[in-house]
């Protein structure tokens, strides 16, 4: 079955973006190509156990088993040997990508404490957006009693466009809550806020 977000993109978002960005061809409309979730365990004492926990938790969150990433060179100060496991990463495409994005935007991000929107300027200049998450407990799939260590993630949204502005509009249309645009003041009136 087609995910709701994918259906929304095909039915309404694509045409709306084509008109908004004044594009001539429907194939020029930006689309989400993949989501890459990257988690590093860093210099934790029991690195082997930390990697195992990271694999289990990332599998729970994404529904796909991650790949273990290895260090490319030895760094004595970090007690790190070449070829040692340092983190995990998973690349989501298609149905899983849209399902993950829906869960991230609708359930996980609103659970962040004192959340006021994600940074609208974290684009890389080529239309890709990276979102950092400090704690895996915002995802409802994680049982808080079983969390042994805090894991942080980098979630990169790779789009088909090279323009940051086009990618920002695409992600905004898919529900990404960027900081700025509009804000509600104490009187309950909507005002323009600085991005």
């Amino acid at each position: 079955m087609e995910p709701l977000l994918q259906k929304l993109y095909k039915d309404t978002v694509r045409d709306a973006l084509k008109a908004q960005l004044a594009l001539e061809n429907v194939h020029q409309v930006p689309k989400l190509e993949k989501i890459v979730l990257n988690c590093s365990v860093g210099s934790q004492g029991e690195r082997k156990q930390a990697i195992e926990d990271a694999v289990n938790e990332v599998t729970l969150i994404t529904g796909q088993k991650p790949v273990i990433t290895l260090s490319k060179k030895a760094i004595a100060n970090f007690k790190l040997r070449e070829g040692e496991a340092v983190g995990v990463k998973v690349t989501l495409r298609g149905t899983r990508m849209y399902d993950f994005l829906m869960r991230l935007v609708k359930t996980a991000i609103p659970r962040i404490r004192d959340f006021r929107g994600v940074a609208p300027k974290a684009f890389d200049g080529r239309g890709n957006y990276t979102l950092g998450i400090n704690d895996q407990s915002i995802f409802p799939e994680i049982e808080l009693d079983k969390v042994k260590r805090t894991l942080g993630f980098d979630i990169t949204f790779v789009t088909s466009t090279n323009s940051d502005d086009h990618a920002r509009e695409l992600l905004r249309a898919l529900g990404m809550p960027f900081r700025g645009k509009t804000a509600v003041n104490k009187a309950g009136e909507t005002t323009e806020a600085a991005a």
Side-chain angles (χ1 to χ4, degrees):
M1 199 171 98
E2 195 175 44
L4 285 171
L5 215 52
Q6 191 170 8
K7 193 172 186 320
L8 176 80
Y9 175 76
K10 285 180 181 172
D11 295 348
T12 58
V13 171
R14 187 165 49 191
D15 294 333
L17 280 176
K18 185 181 174 208
Q20 183 185 346
L21 303 173
L23 301 170
E24 292 174 17
N25 193 323
V26 75
H27 298 295
Q28 292 176 305
V29 177
K31 65 177 184 273
L32 202 55
E33 290 188 336
K34 62 184 176 179
I35 295 176
V36 181
L37 196 132
N38 192 3
C39 172
S40 172
V41 296
S43 57
Q44 301 208 5
E46 322 149 347
R47 195 176 276 132
K48 194 174 180 185
Q49 184 59 45
I51 289 285
E52 213 172 283
D53 292 344
V55 166
N56 293 337
E57 293 190 355
V58 170
T59 305
L60 267 176
I61 290 167
T62 61
Q64 186 173 312
K65 194 164 186 199
V67 175
I68 295 173
T69 53
L70 307 174
S71 63
K72 290 180 180 167
K73 58 183 180 180
I75 302 171
N77 289 350
F78 299 134
K79 297 184 176 128
L80 185 67
R81 294 188 185 98
E82 187 178 342
E84 197 170 2
V86 289
V88 298
K89 77 170 184 178
V90 66
T91 303
L92 303 169
R93 289 185 171 89
T95 306
R96 281 202 180 119
M97 171 183 75
Y98 281 106
D99 282 340
F100 175 75
L101 179 60
M102 180 94 162
R103 283 184 287 119
L104 178 74
V105 169
K106 299 287 181 200
T107 56
I109 289 180
R111 293 174 64 166
I112 297 174
R113 188 177 301 169
D114 296 333
F115 180 69
R116 289 189 176 83
V118 296
K121 294 181 179 169
F123 286 87
D124 66 351
R126 292 189 202 92
N128 305 319
Y129 181 71
T130 302
L131 173 67
I133 289 181
N134 300 329
D135 187 10
Q136 79 273 32
S137 65
I138 65 166
F139 291 96
E141 296 87 358
I142 302 294
E143 292 179 41
L144 292 175
D145 339 340
K146 295 183 180 173
V147 173
K148 294 175 191 161
R149 52 181 61 79
T150 303
L151 293 173
F153 299 103
D154 277 338
I155 303 172
T156 304
F157 300 90
V158 180
T159 64
S160 62
T161 180
N162 285 329
S163 163
D164 288 351
D165 295 330
H166 288 194
R168 189 178 298 110
E169 291 309 317
L170 167 69
L171 291 175
R172 186 174 279 134
L174 290 174
M176 187 63 74
F178 286 111
R179 199 176 303 133
K181 266 297 194 205
T182 56
V184 179
N185 62 19
K186 290 180 182 172
E189 299 160 346
T190 306
T191 57
E192 282 295 314

